[in-house]
Amino acid sequence: MLNIIPLPAFTDNYIWLIKHSNSQDVYVVDPGDANVVIDYLNAHQLTLAGILITHHHIDHTGGILALKSFSEQHSAQAVLPVYGPASENINGVNHPINNERSMILKTLNIKVTIFTIPGHTLGHIAYLMDDNLFCGDTLFSGGCGRLFEGSPEQMHTSLTQLSQLPTETKVFCTHEYTLANLTFASEVEPDNNDLYAYKEQVSQLRLNNQPSLPSSIGMERKINPFLRCEQDTIQRAIRQHFQHPSHDNRSTFALLRQWKDNF
Ligand SMILES: [Zn+2]
């Protein structure tokens, strides 16, 4: 069984640490800060077996080189494997992922499914292990990443792909943006009762300084406006806000993202 531990970094990032219950070898996802990871490894006598990167932004990649040299000094492993999208220029990635749809992480003895999900960046990928989805800055709880490189169409397609995963799939995104996202979601869908119940639950967690994550695909389908562009409530809100006759899910998505950018 996998244990997944959040290591808070910077102001609102989580570096996800993945550990098999019967092994001391671990992987980390998107280590923007090496020291956060090294401190945890030392405190719990764990060995870093590899790194998974979703996209090139520095708050996801800034710790790679320091972790490689730390690992190569402190473990028997000659070279630390670092997986990441081949199409993005990321210093330290030595297992570039091109069009592979899956791979085996031997240390965890687990199959990883890989999704290509452009939008936030053009090469952004996600990793699925069992029912745990590591989706970087693409799908957030209650929201989605900004479109720095891709088009609204690309992001909509990427989010649609993720939303079709089984409802129990756990969503491990990189940022604790949930409450702010839910404030926007409530503006768009003021009559969504699932949204209010979830917001209450998340508020309690945050009051106790607990992560709001992971979320689940089932929950996101109920409360995340960016996964609900086909809903009448969302389309009506877009028409009212923009005085615009939005006519399909994609244009609804594009306008929704524009609304959030200016919220
Ligand atoms: Zn990013």
Side-chain angles (χ1 to χ4, degrees), residues 38 42 46-47 67-77:
I38 291 170
N42 286 337
L46 302 172
T47 302
L67 285 174
K68 277 181 87 174
S69 58
F70 171 83
S71 169
E72 286 155 18
Q73 282 163 21
H74 292 85
S75 84
Q77 194 168 221

Side-chain angles (χ1 to χ4, degrees), residues 55 57 60 120 137:
H55 68 291
H57 287 158
H60 298 246
H120 178 68
D137 288 354

Side-chain angles (χ1 to χ4, degrees), residues 24-25 39 57 59 75 77 95 114 118 121 128 143 156 158 161 170 173 234 261:
Q24 295 300 101
D25 292 331
D39 289 348
H57 287 158
D59 62 316
S75 84
Q77 194 168 221
H95 284 65
I114 298 158
T121 66
L128 179 71
H156 182 250
S158 297
Q161 189 183 358
K170 298 188 207 64
C173 49
I234 304 279
D261 287 343

